[in-house]
Coordinates of all heavy atoms in Angstrom, one line a residue:
V1 N -6.8 4.5 1.5 CA -5.7 5.1 2.1 C -5.3 6.3 1.3 O -5.0 6.1 0.1 CB -4.5 4.1 2.4 CG1 -3.3 4.8 2.9 CG2 -5.0 3.0 3.2
D2 N -5.1 7.4 1.8 CA -4.8 8.6 1.1 C -3.3 8.9 0.9 O -2.8 9.4 -0.1 CB -5.4 9.9 1.7 CG -6.9 9.8 1.7 OD1 -7.5 9.4 0.6 OD2 -7.6 10.2 2.7
V3 N -2.5 8.5 2.0 CA -1.1 8.7 1.9 C -0.4 7.7 2.8 O -0.9 7.3 3.9 CB -0.7 10.2 2.3 CG1 -1.1 10.5 3.7 CG2 0.8 10.4 2.1
F4 N 0.8 7.3 2.5 CA 1.7 6.5 3.3 C 2.8 7.3 3.8 O 3.5 8.0 2.9 CB 2.1 5.2 2.6 CG 3.0 4.3 3.4 CD1 2.5 3.5 4.3 CD2 4.4 4.4 3.3 CE1 3.3 2.7 5.1 CE2 5.2 3.6 4.2 CZ 4.6 2.7 5.1
V5 N 3.2 7.3 5.0 CA 4.2 8.1 5.6 C 5.3 7.2 6.2 O 5.0 6.4 7.0 CB 3.7 9.1 6.6 CG1 4.8 10.0 7.2 CG2 2.6 10.0 6.1
N6 N 6.6 7.5 5.8 CA 7.7 6.8 6.4 C 8.8 7.8 6.7 O 9.4 8.3 5.7 CB 8.2 5.7 5.4 CG 9.4 5.0 6.0 OD1 10.1 5.4 6.9 ND2 9.8 3.9 5.3
V7 N 8.9 8.2 7.9 CA 9.9 9.2 8.3 C 11.0 8.6 9.1 O 11.5 9.2 10.1 CB 9.2 10.4 8.9 CG1 8.4 11.2 7.9 CG2 8.4 10.0 10.1
S8 N 11.5 7.5 8.7 CA 12.6 6.8 9.4 C 13.9 7.6 9.2 O 14.0 8.3 8.2 CB 12.8 5.4 8.8 OG 11.7 4.6 9.0
V9 N 14.8 7.5 10.2 CA 16.1 8.2 10.0 C 17.1 7.2 9.3 O 18.1 7.6 8.9 CB 16.6 8.7 11.3 CG1 15.8 9.8 11.9 CG2 16.8 7.5 12.3
S10 N 16.7 5.9 9.2 CA 17.6 5.0 8.6 C 16.7 3.9 7.9 O 15.7 3.4 8.5 CB 18.5 4.3 9.6 OG 19.3 3.3 9.1
E11 N 17.0 3.5 6.7 CA 16.3 2.5 6.0 C 17.2 1.6 5.1 O 18.2 2.1 4.7 CB 15.2 3.1 5.1 CG 14.0 3.5 5.8 CD 13.1 2.4 6.3 OE1 13.3 1.2 5.9 OE2 12.2 2.6 7.1
G12 N 16.8 0.4 4.8 CA 17.3 -0.3 3.7 C 16.5 0.0 2.5 O 16.3 1.2 2.2
T13 N 15.8 -1.0 2.0 CA 14.7 -0.8 1.0 C 13.5 -1.1 1.7 O 13.2 -2.3 2.0 CB 14.9 -1.6 -0.2 OG1 16.2 -1.2 -0.8 CG2 13.9 -1.3 -1.2
P14 N 12.6 -0.2 2.1 CA 11.5 -0.4 3.0 C 10.4 -1.2 2.2 O 9.8 -0.6 1.3 CB 11.1 0.9 3.4 CG 11.6 1.9 2.4 CD 12.8 1.3 1.9
V15 N 10.1 -2.4 2.7 CA 9.0 -3.2 2.1 C 7.7 -2.5 2.2 O 6.9 -2.5 1.4 CB 9.0 -4.6 2.7 CG1 7.8 -5.4 2.2 CG2 10.3 -5.3 2.3
S16 N 7.5 -1.8 3.4 CA 6.2 -1.1 3.6 C 6.0 -0.1 2.6 O 4.9 0.1 2.1 CB 6.2 -0.5 5.0 OG 7.3 0.4 5.2
S17 N 7.0 0.7 2.2 CA 6.9 1.7 1.1 C 6.6 1.0 -0.2 O 5.8 1.5 -1.0 CB 8.1 2.6 1.0 OG 8.2 3.4 2.2
M18 N 7.3 -0.1 -0.5 CA 7.0 -0.8 -1.8 C 5.6 -1.3 -1.8 O 4.9 -1.2 -2.9 CB 8.0 -2.0 -1.9 CG 9.4 -1.6 -2.2 SD 10.5 -3.0 -2.6 CE 10.7 -3.7 -1.0
E19 N 5.1 -1.8 -0.7 CA 3.7 -2.3 -0.6 C 2.7 -1.2 -0.8 O 1.7 -1.4 -1.5 CB 3.5 -3.1 0.7 CG 4.2 -4.4 0.8 CD 4.1 -5.0 2.1 OE1 3.8 -4.3 3.1 OE2 4.4 -6.2 2.2
A20 N 3.0 -0.1 -0.2 CA 2.1 1.1 -0.4 C 2.1 1.5 -1.9 O 1.0 1.7 -2.5 CB 2.5 2.3 0.5
A21 N 3.2 1.6 -2.5 CA 3.3 1.9 -3.9 C 2.6 0.9 -4.8 O 1.9 1.3 -5.7 CB 4.8 2.0 -4.4
S22 N 2.7 -0.4 -4.4 CA 2.0 -1.4 -5.2 C 0.5 -1.2 -5.2 O -0.3 -1.6 -6.1 CB 2.3 -2.8 -4.7 OG 1.6 -3.1 -3.5
C23 N 0.0 -0.6 -4.1 CA -1.5 -0.3 -4.0 C -1.8 1.1 -4.6 O -3.0 1.5 -4.4 CB -1.9 -0.4 -2.5 SG -1.7 -2.0 -1.8
G24 N -0.9 1.8 -5.1 CA -1.2 3.1 -5.7 C -1.4 4.2 -4.7 O -2.2 5.1 -4.9
I25 N -0.7 4.1 -3.6 CA -0.8 5.1 -2.5 C 0.3 6.1 -2.6 O 1.5 5.7 -2.7 CB -0.8 4.4 -1.1 CG1 -1.9 3.4 -1.0 CG2 -0.8 5.4 0.0 CD1 -1.9 2.5 0.2
P26 N 0.0 7.4 -2.6 CA 1.1 8.4 -2.6 C 1.9 8.3 -1.3 O 1.4 7.8 -0.3 CB 0.3 9.7 -2.7 CG -1.0 9.3 -3.3 CD -1.3 7.9 -2.8
L27 N 3.1 8.7 -1.4 CA 4.1 8.5 -0.3 C 4.7 9.8 0.2 O 5.0 10.7 -0.6 CB 5.2 7.6 -0.8 CG 4.8 6.2 -1.3 CD1 5.6 5.9 -2.5 CD2 4.9 5.2 -0.2
I28 N 5.0 9.9 1.4 CA 5.8 10.9 2.0 C 6.9 10.2 2.8 O 6.5 9.3 3.6 CB 5.0 11.8 3.0 CG1 3.9 12.6 2.3 CG2 5.9 12.8 3.8 CD1 3.0 13.4 3.2
A29 N 8.1 10.4 2.5 CA 9.2 9.7 3.1 C 10.5 10.5 3.2 O 10.7 11.5 2.5 CB 9.5 8.4 2.4
T30 N 11.3 10.1 4.1 CA 12.6 10.7 4.3 C 13.6 10.2 3.2 O 13.5 9.1 2.8 CB 13.2 10.4 5.7 OG1 13.1 9.0 6.0 CG2 12.5 11.2 6.7
A31 N 14.5 11.0 2.8 CA 15.5 10.7 1.8 C 16.6 9.9 2.4 O 17.8 10.3 2.4 CB 16.0 11.9 1.1
V32 N 16.3 8.7 2.8 CA 17.3 7.7 3.4 C 17.1 6.4 2.7 O 16.0 6.0 2.4 CB 17.1 7.6 4.9 CG1 17.4 8.9 5.6 CG2 15.8 7.1 5.4
G33 N 18.2 5.7 2.6 CA 18.1 4.3 2.1 C 17.3 4.2 0.8 O 17.4 5.1 -0.1
G34 N 16.6 3.1 0.7 CA 15.8 2.9 -0.6 C 14.6 3.8 -0.8 O 14.0 3.7 -1.9
N35 N 14.3 4.6 0.2 CA 13.2 5.6 0.0 C 13.4 6.4 -1.3 O 12.5 6.8 -2.0 CB 12.9 6.5 1.2 CG 12.2 5.8 2.3 OD1 11.4 4.8 2.1 ND2 12.4 6.3 3.5
K36 N 14.7 6.7 -1.5 CA 15.1 7.6 -2.6 C 14.8 6.9 -3.9 O 14.7 7.6 -5.0 CB 16.6 8.0 -2.5 CG 16.9 8.8 -1.3 CD 18.3 9.2 -1.1 CE 19.0 8.0 -0.6 NZ 20.4 8.2 -0.2
E37 N 14.7 5.6 -4.0 CA 14.4 4.9 -5.2 C 12.9 4.8 -5.4 O 12.4 4.6 -6.5 CB 15.0 3.5 -5.2 CG 16.5 3.4 -5.1 CD 17.0 2.0 -5.0 OE1 16.2 1.1 -5.1 OE2 18.2 1.9 -4.7
I38 N 12.1 4.9 -4.4 CA 10.7 4.7 -4.4 C 9.9 6.0 -4.6 O 8.9 6.1 -5.3 CB 10.2 3.9 -3.2 CG1 10.9 2.5 -3.1 CG2 8.7 3.7 -3.2 CD1 10.8 1.8 -1.7
V39 N 10.3 7.0 -3.8 CA 9.5 8.2 -3.7 C 10.1 9.3 -4.6 O 11.4 9.4 -4.7 CB 9.5 8.8 -2.3 CG1 8.6 10.0 -2.2 CG2 8.9 7.7 -1.3
N40 N 9.3 10.0 -5.4 CA 9.8 11.0 -6.3 C 8.7 12.1 -6.3 O 7.6 12.0 -5.7 CB 10.1 10.5 -7.7 CG 8.9 9.8 -8.3 OD1 7.9 10.4 -8.5 ND2 9.1 8.6 -8.7
A41 N 9.0 13.2 -7.1 CA 8.0 14.3 -7.1 C 6.7 13.9 -7.8 O 5.7 14.6 -7.6 CB 8.7 15.5 -7.9
K42 N 6.7 12.9 -8.5 CA 5.4 12.4 -9.2 C 4.5 11.7 -8.3 O 3.3 11.7 -8.5 CB 5.8 11.6 -10.4 CG 6.4 12.4 -11.5 CD 6.7 11.5 -12.7 CE 7.4 12.3 -13.8 NZ 7.7 11.4 -15.0
N43 N 5.1 10.9 -7.3 CA 4.2 10.1 -6.5 C 4.2 10.5 -5.0 O 3.6 9.8 -4.2 CB 4.6 8.6 -6.6 CG 5.9 8.3 -6.0 OD1 6.7 9.1 -5.5 ND2 6.2 7.0 -6.0
G44 N 4.8 11.6 -4.7 CA 4.7 12.0 -3.3 C 5.7 13.1 -3.0 O 6.1 13.9 -3.9
Y45 N 6.3 13.0 -1.8 CA 7.2 14.0 -1.3 C 8.4 13.3 -0.6 O 8.1 12.6 0.3 CB 6.5 15.0 -0.4 CG 5.4 15.8 -1.1 CD1 4.1 15.3 -1.1 CD2 5.7 16.9 -1.8 CE1 3.1 15.9 -1.8 CE2 4.7 17.6 -2.5 CZ 3.4 17.1 -2.5 OH 2.4 17.7 -3.2
L46 N 9.6 13.6 -1.0 CA 10.8 13.1 -0.4 C 11.3 14.2 0.5 O 11.7 15.3 0.0 CB 11.8 12.7 -1.5 CG 12.9 11.8 -1.1 CD1 12.4 10.5 -0.5 CD2 13.8 11.5 -2.2
L47 N 11.4 13.9 1.8 CA 11.8 14.9 2.8 C 13.3 14.8 3.1 O 13.9 13.7 2.8 CB 11.0 14.7 4.1 CG 9.5 14.7 4.0 CD1 8.9 14.3 5.3 CD2 9.0 16.1 3.6
D48 N 13.9 15.8 3.7 CA 15.2 15.7 4.2 C 15.4 14.5 5.1 O 14.4 14.1 5.7 CB 15.6 17.0 4.9 CG 15.8 18.2 4.0 OD1 16.1 18.0 2.8 OD2 15.5 19.3 4.5
P49 N 16.6 13.9 5.2 CA 16.8 12.8 6.1 C 16.3 12.9 7.5 O 15.9 12.0 8.2 CB 18.3 12.5 6.0 CG 18.7 13.0 4.7 CD 17.8 14.3 4.5
N50 N 16.4 14.1 8.0 CA 15.9 14.4 9.4 C 15.0 15.6 9.4 O 15.4 16.7 9.9 CB 17.2 14.6 10.3 CG 16.8 14.6 11.8 OD1 15.8 14.1 12.2 ND2 17.7 15.2 12.6
P51 N 13.8 15.4 8.9 CA 12.9 16.6 8.8 C 12.3 17.0 10.1 O 12.2 16.2 11.1 CB 11.8 16.1 7.9 CG 11.7 14.6 8.2 CD 13.1 14.2 8.5
S52 N 12.0 18.3 10.2 CA 11.3 18.8 11.3 C 9.8 18.5 11.2 O 9.3 18.1 10.2 CB 11.4 20.3 11.4 OG 10.7 20.9 10.3
A53 N 9.1 18.6 12.3 CA 7.6 18.4 12.3 C 7.0 19.3 11.3 O 6.0 18.9 10.6 CB 7.1 18.5 13.7
K54 N 7.5 20.5 11.2 CA 6.9 21.5 10.3 C 7.1 21.0 8.8 O 6.2 21.2 8.0 CB 7.6 22.9 10.5 CG 7.0 23.9 9.6 CD 7.7 25.3 9.9 CE 7.1 26.4 9.0 NZ 7.6 27.7 9.2
E55 N 8.3 20.5 8.5 CA 8.5 20.0 7.1 C 7.6 18.8 6.8 O 7.1 18.7 5.7 CB 10.0 19.6 7.0 CG 10.9 20.7 7.0 CD 12.4 20.3 7.1 OE1 12.7 19.4 7.9 OE2 13.2 20.9 6.3
I56 N 7.3 18.0 7.7 CA 6.4 16.8 7.5 C 5.0 17.4 7.3 O 4.3 17.0 6.4 CB 6.5 15.8 8.7 CG1 7.9 15.2 8.8 CG2 5.4 14.7 8.5 CD1 8.1 14.5 10.1
A57 N 4.6 18.3 8.2 CA 3.3 18.9 8.0 C 3.1 19.6 6.7 O 2.1 19.5 6.1 CB 3.0 19.9 9.2
Q58 N 4.2 20.3 6.2 CA 4.1 21.0 4.9 C 3.9 20.0 3.8 O 3.2 20.3 2.8 CB 5.3 21.8 4.7 CG 5.4 23.0 5.6 CD 6.7 23.8 5.5 OE1 7.8 23.2 5.3 NE2 6.6 25.1 5.7
A59 N 4.4 18.8 3.9 CA 4.2 17.8 2.8 C 2.7 17.4 2.9 O 2.1 17.2 1.8 CB 5.1 16.6 3.0
F60 N 2.2 17.2 4.0 CA 0.7 16.9 4.2 C -0.1 18.0 3.6 O -1.0 17.8 2.8 CB 0.3 16.7 5.6 CG 0.6 15.3 6.2 CD1 1.6 15.1 7.1 CD2 -0.2 14.2 5.7 CE1 1.8 13.9 7.6 CE2 0.1 13.0 6.2 CZ 1.1 12.8 7.2
F61 N 0.2 19.2 3.9 CA -0.5 20.4 3.4 C -0.5 20.5 1.9 O -1.4 20.8 1.2 CB 0.0 21.7 4.1 CG -0.2 21.8 5.5 CD1 0.7 22.4 6.3 CD2 -1.3 21.2 6.2 CE1 0.5 22.5 7.7 CE2 -1.5 21.2 7.5 CZ -0.6 21.9 8.3
A62 N 0.7 20.2 1.3 CA 0.9 20.2 -0.1 C -0.1 19.2 -0.8 O -0.7 19.5 -1.8 CB 2.3 19.9 -0.5
M63 N -0.3 18.1 -0.2 CA -1.2 17.1 -0.7 C -2.7 17.5 -0.5 O -3.5 17.5 -1.4 CB -1.0 15.7 -0.1 CG 0.3 15.1 -0.4 SD 0.5 13.5 0.3 CE 0.0 12.5 -1.1
I64 N -3.0 18.1 0.7 CA -4.3 18.5 1.0 C -4.7 19.7 0.1 O -5.9 19.8 -0.4 CB -4.5 18.9 2.5 CG1 -4.3 17.7 3.3 CG2 -5.8 19.6 2.7 CD1 -4.1 18.0 4.8
D65 N -3.8 20.6 -0.1 CA -4.1 21.8 -0.9 C -4.2 21.5 -2.4 O -4.6 22.4 -3.2 CB -3.0 22.8 -0.7 CG -3.0 23.4 0.7 OD1 -4.0 23.2 1.4 OD2 -2.0 24.0 1.1
H66 N -3.8 20.3 -2.9 CA -3.8 20.0 -4.3 C -4.4 18.7 -4.5 O -3.8 17.7 -5.1 CB -2.4 20.1 -4.9 CG -1.8 21.4 -4.8 ND1 -2.2 22.5 -5.6 CD2 -0.9 21.9 -4.0 CE1 -1.5 23.6 -5.3 NE2 -0.7 23.3 -4.3
P67 N -5.7 18.5 -4.2 CA -6.4 17.2 -4.4 C -6.5 16.8 -5.8 O -6.7 15.6 -6.1 CB -7.8 17.4 -3.7 CG -8.0 18.9 -3.8 CD -6.6 19.5 -3.6
E68 N -6.4 17.8 -6.7 CA -6.5 17.4 -8.1 C -5.3 16.6 -8.6 O -5.3 16.0 -9.7 CB -6.5 18.7 -9.0 CG -5.3 19.6 -9.0 CD -5.1 20.5 -7.8 OE1 -5.9 20.5 -6.9 OE2 -4.1 21.3 -7.9
N69 N -4.2 16.5 -7.8 CA -3.0 15.7 -8.2 C -3.1 14.3 -7.7 O -2.2 13.5 -8.1 CB -1.8 16.4 -7.6 CG -1.5 17.7 -8.2 OD1 -2.0 18.0 -9.3 ND2 -0.8 18.6 -7.5
I70 N -4.1 13.9 -6.9 CA -4.0 12.6 -6.2 C -4.1 11.5 -7.2 O -3.4 10.5 -7.0 CB -5.2 12.5 -5.1 CG1 -4.9 11.3 -4.3 CG2 -6.5 12.5 -5.8 CD1 -3.8 11.4 -3.3
D71 N -4.9 11.6 -8.2 CA -5.0 10.5 -9.2 C -3.7 10.3 -9.9 O -3.3 9.1 -10.1 CB -6.1 10.7 -10.2 CG -7.5 10.6 -9.6 OD1 -7.6 9.9 -8.5 OD2 -8.5 11.1 -10.2
D72 N -3.0 11.4 -10.3 CA -1.7 11.2 -10.9 C -0.6 10.6 -10.0 O 0.2 9.8 -10.4 CB -1.2 12.6 -11.4 CG -2.0 13.1 -12.6 OD1 -2.7 12.3 -13.3 OD2 -2.0 14.3 -12.9
Q73 N -0.7 11.1 -8.7 CA 0.2 10.5 -7.7 C 0.0 9.0 -7.5 O 0.9 8.3 -7.3 CB 0.1 11.3 -6.4 CG 0.7 12.7 -6.5 CD 0.4 13.5 -5.2 OE1 -0.6 13.4 -4.6 NE2 1.4 14.3 -4.8
R74 N -1.3 8.6 -7.4 CA -1.6 7.2 -7.3 C -1.1 6.4 -8.5 O -0.4 5.4 -8.3 CB -3.1 7.0 -7.2 CG -3.7 7.5 -5.8 CD -5.2 7.2 -5.7 NE -5.7 7.6 -4.5 CZ -5.5 7.0 -3.3 NH1 -4.8 5.9 -3.3 NH2 -6.0 7.4 -2.2
A75 N -1.3 6.9 -9.7 CA -0.8 6.2 -10.9 C 0.7 6.1 -10.9 O 1.3 5.1 -11.2 CB -1.3 6.9 -12.1
A76 N 1.4 7.2 -10.4 CA 2.8 7.2 -10.4 C 3.4 6.3 -9.4 O 4.4 5.6 -9.6 CB 3.3 8.7 -10.2
S77 N 2.7 6.1 -8.2 CA 3.2 5.2 -7.2 C 3.1 3.8 -7.8 O 4.1 3.0 -7.7 CB 2.3 5.3 -6.0 OG 2.8 6.3 -5.1
R78 N 2.0 3.5 -8.4 CA 1.8 2.1 -9.0 C 2.9 1.9 -10.1 O 3.4 0.8 -10.2 CB 0.4 2.0 -9.5 CG 0.1 0.6 -10.1 CD 0.1 -0.5 -9.2 NE -0.1 -1.7 -9.9 CZ -0.4 -2.9 -9.3 NH1 -0.4 -3.0 -8.0 NH2 -0.6 -3.9 -10.1
A79 N 3.2 2.9 -10.9 CA 4.1 2.8 -12.0 C 5.5 2.5 -11.4 O 6.3 1.7 -12.0 CB 4.1 4.0 -12.8
V80 N 5.9 3.2 -10.3 CA 7.2 2.9 -9.7 C 7.3 1.5 -9.3 O 8.3 0.8 -9.5 CB 7.5 3.9 -8.5 CG1 8.7 3.4 -7.7 CG2 7.8 5.3 -9.0
W81 N 6.3 1.0 -8.6 CA 6.3 -0.4 -8.1 C 6.4 -1.3 -9.3 O 7.2 -2.3 -9.3 CB 5.0 -0.7 -7.3 CG 4.9 -2.2 -7.0 CD1 5.5 -2.8 -6.0 CD2 4.2 -3.1 -7.8 NE1 5.2 -4.2 -6.1 CE2 4.4 -4.4 -7.2 CE3 3.4 -3.1 -8.9 CZ2 3.8 -5.5 -7.7 CZ3 2.8 -4.2 -9.4 CH2 3.0 -5.4 -8.8
D82 N 5.6 -1.1 -10.4 CA 5.5 -2.0 -11.5 C 6.9 -2.0 -12.2 O 7.3 -3.1 -12.6 CB 4.4 -1.6 -12.5 CG 4.2 -2.6 -13.6 OD1 4.1 -3.8 -13.2 OD2 4.2 -2.2 -14.7
E83 N 7.5 -0.9 -12.3 CA 8.8 -0.9 -13.0 C 10.0 -1.5 -12.2 O 10.8 -2.2 -12.8 CB 9.2 0.6 -13.3 CG 10.5 0.8 -14.0 CD 10.9 2.2 -14.2 OE1 10.0 3.1 -14.2 OE2 12.1 2.5 -14.2
K84 N 10.0 -1.2 -10.9 CA 11.1 -1.6 -10.1 C 10.9 -2.9 -9.2 O 11.9 -3.5 -8.9 CB 11.6 -0.5 -9.2 CG 12.1 0.7 -10.0 CD 12.5 1.8 -9.1 CE 13.0 3.0 -9.8 NZ 13.4 4.1 -8.9
Y85 N 9.7 -3.1 -8.8 CA 9.5 -4.2 -7.8 C 8.5 -5.3 -8.1 O 8.3 -6.2 -7.3 CB 9.1 -3.5 -6.5 CG 10.1 -2.4 -6.1 CD1 9.7 -1.0 -6.2 CD2 11.4 -2.7 -5.6 CE1 10.6 -0.1 -5.8 CE2 12.3 -1.7 -5.3 CZ 11.9 -0.4 -5.4 OH 12.8 0.6 -5.1
N86 N 7.9 -5.2 -9.3 CA 7.0 -6.2 -9.7 C 7.7 -7.5 -9.9 O 8.6 -7.6 -10.8 CB 6.3 -5.8 -10.9 CG 5.2 -6.8 -11.4 OD1 5.3 -8.0 -11.2 ND2 4.2 -6.2 -12.1
S87 N 7.5 -8.5 -9.1 CA 8.2 -9.8 -9.2 C 8.1 -10.5 -10.5 O 9.1 -11.1 -11.0 CB 7.8 -10.7 -8.0 OG 6.5 -11.1 -8.1
R88 N 6.9 -10.4 -11.1 CA 6.8 -11.0 -12.4 C 7.6 -10.4 -13.5 O 8.3 -11.1 -14.2 CB 5.3 -11.0 -12.8 CG 4.9 -12.0 -13.9 CD 3.4 -12.0 -14.1 NE 2.8 -12.6 -12.9 CZ 1.5 -12.3 -12.6 NH1 0.8 -11.5 -13.3 NH2 1.0 -12.8 -11.5
R89 N 7.6 -9.1 -13.5 CA 8.5 -8.3 -14.4 C 10.0 -8.6 -14.1 O 10.8 -8.8 -15.0 CB 8.2 -6.8 -14.3 CG 9.0 -6.0 -15.3 CD 8.7 -4.5 -15.0 NE 7.3 -4.2 -15.3 CZ 6.9 -3.7 -16.4 NH1 7.7 -3.5 -17.4 NH2 5.6 -3.4 -16.5
N90 N 10.3 -8.6 -12.9 CA 11.8 -8.8 -12.5 C 12.2 -10.2 -12.9 O 13.3 -10.4 -13.3 CB 12.0 -8.5 -11.0 CG 11.9 -7.0 -10.7 OD1 12.1 -6.2 -11.6 ND2 11.6 -6.7 -9.5
L91 N 11.3 -11.2 -12.7 CA 11.7 -12.5 -13.1 C 12.0 -12.6 -14.6 O 12.9 -13.2 -15.0 CB 10.6 -13.5 -12.7 CG 10.8 -15.0 -13.1 CD1 12.1 -15.5 -12.4 CD2 9.6 -15.8 -12.7
E92 N 11.1 -12.0 -15.4 CA 11.3 -12.0 -16.8 C 12.7 -11.4 -17.2 O 13.4 -11.9 -18.0 CB 10.2 -11.3 -17.5 CG 8.9 -12.0 -17.5 CD 7.7 -11.2 -18.1 OE1 8.0 -10.3 -18.9 OE2 6.6 -11.5 -17.8
K93 N 13.0 -10.2 -16.6 CA 14.3 -9.6 -16.8 C 15.4 -10.5 -16.4 O 16.4 -10.6 -17.1 CB 14.4 -8.3 -16.1 CG 13.5 -7.1 -16.6 CD 13.7 -5.9 -15.7 CE 12.7 -4.8 -16.1 NZ 12.9 -3.6 -15.2
F94 N 15.3 -11.1 -15.3 CA 16.4 -12.0 -14.8 C 16.6 -13.2 -15.8 O 17.7 -13.5 -16.1 CB 16.0 -12.5 -13.4 CG 17.0 -13.5 -12.8 CD1 18.2 -13.0 -12.4 CD2 16.7 -14.8 -12.6 CE1 19.2 -13.9 -11.9 CE2 17.6 -15.7 -12.0 CZ 18.8 -15.2 -11.7
V95 N 15.5 -13.8 -16.2 CA 15.6 -14.9 -17.1 C 16.2 -14.5 -18.4 O 17.1 -15.2 -19.0 CB 14.2 -15.6 -17.3 CG1 14.2 -16.6 -18.5 CG2 13.8 -16.3 -16.0
M96 N 15.8 -13.4 -18.9 CA 16.4 -12.9 -20.2 C 17.9 -12.6 -20.0 O 18.7 -12.8 -20.9 CB 15.6 -11.6 -20.7 CG 14.2 -11.9 -21.0 SD 13.9 -13.2 -22.2 CE 14.5 -12.4 -23.7
S97 N 18.3 -12.1 -18.9 CA 19.7 -11.8 -18.6 C 20.5 -13.1 -18.6 O 21.6 -13.2 -19.2 CB 19.9 -11.1 -17.3 OG 19.3 -9.8 -17.3
L98 N 19.9 -14.1 -18.0 CA 20.6 -15.4 -17.9 C 20.7 -16.0 -19.3 O 21.8 -16.6 -19.7 CB 19.8 -16.4 -17.0 CG 19.9 -16.2 -15.5 CD1 19.0 -17.2 -14.8 CD2 21.3 -16.3 -15.1
K99 N 19.7 -15.9 -20.1 CA 19.7 -16.4 -21.5 C 20.8 -15.7 -22.3 O 21.5 -16.3 -23.1 CB 18.4 -16.2 -22.2 CG 17.3 -17.2 -21.7 CD 16.0 -17.0 -22.5 CE 15.0 -18.0 -22.0 NZ 13.7 -17.8 -22.7
A100 N 20.9 -14.4 -22.1 CA 21.9 -13.6 -22.9 C 23.3 -14.0 -22.5 O 24.2 -14.1 -23.3 CB 21.7 -12.1 -22.6
I101 N 23.5 -14.2 -21.2 CA 24.8 -14.7 -20.7 C 25.2 -16.0 -21.3 O 26.3 -16.3 -21.8 CB 24.8 -14.8 -19.2 CG1 24.8 -13.3 -18.6 CG2 26.1 -15.5 -18.7 CD1 24.5 -13.3 -17.1
R102 N 24.2 -16.9 -21.3 CA 24.4 -18.3 -21.8 C 24.8 -18.2 -23.3 O 25.6 -19.0 -23.8 CB 23.2 -19.2 -21.6 CG 23.4 -20.6 -22.2 CD 22.3 -21.5 -21.8 NE 23.0 -22.6 -21.2 CZ 22.4 -23.6 -20.5 NH1 21.1 -23.5 -20.3 NH2 23.1 -24.6 -20.0
E103 N 24.1 -17.4 -24.1 CA 24.3 -17.3 -25.5 C 25.6 -16.6 -25.9 O 26.0 -16.7 -27.0 CB 23.1 -16.6 -26.1 CG 21.8 -17.4 -26.1 CD 20.6 -16.6 -26.5 OE1 20.7 -15.4 -26.8 OE2 19.5 -17.3 -26.4
S104 N 26.2 -15.8 -24.9 CA 27.4 -15.1 -25.3 C 28.7 -15.9 -25.1 O 28.7 -17.0 -24.6 CB 27.5 -13.8 -24.5 OG 27.6 -14.1 -23.1

């Protein structure tokens, strides 16, 4: 998969975008809800909350015109997922937080 697109006008934290990031897929998404936490300039393109068809197409063209960036975008998507949404990592942080609370 070359790109994942989510142009919703409203979102919570989209599991579909998190799953795409976990697979190292670059993203194009609207700047609504949790998309703003997942998509950044390193792993894709964050569009206005209500983009025109032209704006969406321009994001595609930016990716097509710069294929040399795809490996970096893939790595950045995976890194966002690993840092913010990896359940193993989050469990460790949670357990350490509980231990710190108990010890204080």
Side-chain angles (χ1 to χ4, degrees):
V1 175
D2 295 319
V3 63
F4 179 81
V5 181
N6 179 344
V7 290
S8 298
V9 295
S10 177
E11 280 290 348
T13 301
V15 173
S16 57
S17 293
M18 288 187 286
E19 289 172 341
S22 77
C23 294
I25 299 170
L27 303 139
I28 295 173
T30 47
V32 297
N35 282 335
K36 296 177 282 189
E37 296 175 12
I38 302 167
V39 183
N40 59 55
K42 292 180 181 179
N43 70 353
Y45 298 91
L46 196 59
L47 304 171
D48 289 332
N50 190 19
S52 67
K54 183 177 180 178
E55 291 169 313
I56 297 167
Q58 287 173 329
F60 278 110
F61 296 146
M63 295 184 94
I64 292 167
D65 292 344
H66 298 284
E68 69 277 6
N69 296 336
I70 193 72
D71 289 339
D72 290 340
Q73 289 174 322
R74 288 183 179 284
S77 276
R78 179 67 182 189
V80 165
W81 171 82
D82 189 48
E83 177 187 332
K84 296 180 178 180
Y85 306 107
N86 182 328
S87 62
R88 200 171 292 153
R89 180 185 299 266
N90 288 337
L91 177 61
E92 288 176 22
K93 288 179 187 177
F94 179 68
V95 169
M96 295 306 288
S97 295
L98 288 178
K99 285 181 179 180
I101 291 169
R102 178 171 235 167
E103 292 171 359
S104 63

